[in-house]
Amino acid sequence: AHWAGRLDSVDAMHEICCNIAKYFNAQVMFENNIPDFKNYCMRTNNFHLLAPTPYQAISKALKEPSKKWDVGVNMSKPLGEYAEKLALQWLLEDRKTWEEDGVQHTLKNYQTIYDNAMLDEFISYNSTGNFDRVSAFKLLMIWLIQDDEEINSIQNVLSWYIDHVCDIICFN
């Protein structure tokens, strides 16, 4: 789910975001260089909704990322450029391929996006404009890289454990 909009009251926008997160039992990844959302969550006992800073993913773009924040992402220019590359890569990836009547067909990820406003933002996007949906998508790309890193780390630990447990079982 997503909501994109601007209201006269910043707190009202923050409340909508927190309510969506609660409804879906989700965390919120946000740009913490705009501190108002974090402050709102602290003030309204919603800090638990904030996603932790994805340092593993950020360290792929920055040599020595600052550990100043515990939640959210400080979207610096180098990190933003990295996230743009991730987004473009994902958008252009093959989602599905099939053959029909001897003709090979390919469905790209971008062809599965049914939000016309988001597609319009992707088409119009430049690094200096105000593109809320694209900014949120870039955060998602960083978050997904973090999840991949965590899954790979867990799989490595499990593989090591299984290898050693098998050694113990087989050889003891």
Side-chain angles (χ1 to χ4, degrees):
H2 80 277
W3 174 80
R6 295 185 183 242
L7 303 175
D8 290 336
S9 167
V10 174
D11 278 358
M13 290 187 292
H14 294 336
E15 182 181 11
I16 289 169
C17 184
C18 288
N19 286 340
I20 290 171
K22 288 175 190 173
Y23 181 82
F24 287 100
N25 192 28
Q27 290 184 308
V28 178
M29 182 62 67
F30 68 103
E31 289 186 49
N32 61 18
N33 32 335
I34 305 169
D36 198 41
F37 185 66
K38 179 180 176 181
N39 293 338
Y40 172 84
C41 289
M42 290 170 62
R43 220 177 42 247
T44 59
N45 295 320
N46 286 308
F47 190 81
H48 65 284
L49 298 175
L50 302 180
T53 302
Y55 286 114
Q56 285 177 307
I58 292 169
S59 66
K60 288 182 174 273
L62 307 175
K63 288 184 181 180
E64 294 183 27
S66 169
K67 301 272 183 165
K68 181 177 176 182
W69 296 278
D70 52 347
V71 293
V73 172
N74 181 26
M75 191 61 80
S76 63
K77 184 173 179 159
L79 186 58
E81 290 170 354
Y82 174 68
E84 286 172 10
K85 288 177 187 173
L86 293 173
L88 185 59
Q89 178 183 335
W90 184 89
L91 289 165
L92 296 177
E93 276 180 6
D94 293 350
R95 177 65 160 254
K96 179 181 175 183
T97 58
W98 71 97
E99 188 176 320
E100 185 177 313
D101 298 328
V103 177
Q104 188 71 22
H105 298 275
T106 302
L107 180 70
K108 302 282 187 185
N109 278 331
Y110 75 86
Q111 293 171 306
T112 65
I113 298 173
Y114 300 108
D115 181 338
N116 288 332
M118 181 174 231
L119 292 171
D120 287 343
E121 280 195 20
F122 279 128
I123 291 166
S124 304
Y125 180 74
N126 63 64
S127 60
T128 59
N130 189 7
F131 301 93
D132 293 340
R133 291 170 184 87
V134 174
S135 294
F137 193 80
K138 288 167 35 178
L139 286 171
L140 174 63
M141 293 295 102
I142 292 169
W143 202 351
L144 290 175
I145 290 295
Q146 179 75 19
D147 279 354
D148 281 350
E149 287 294 316
E150 290 174 5
I151 288 168
N152 288 337
S153 177
I154 291 167
Q155 287 174 338
N156 289 340
V157 168
L158 288 174
S159 294
W160 179 91
Y161 181 77
I162 289 168
D163 289 346
H164 286 80
V165 168
C166 287
D167 287 347
I168 292 167
I169 292 171
C170 295
F171 300 109
N172 288 336

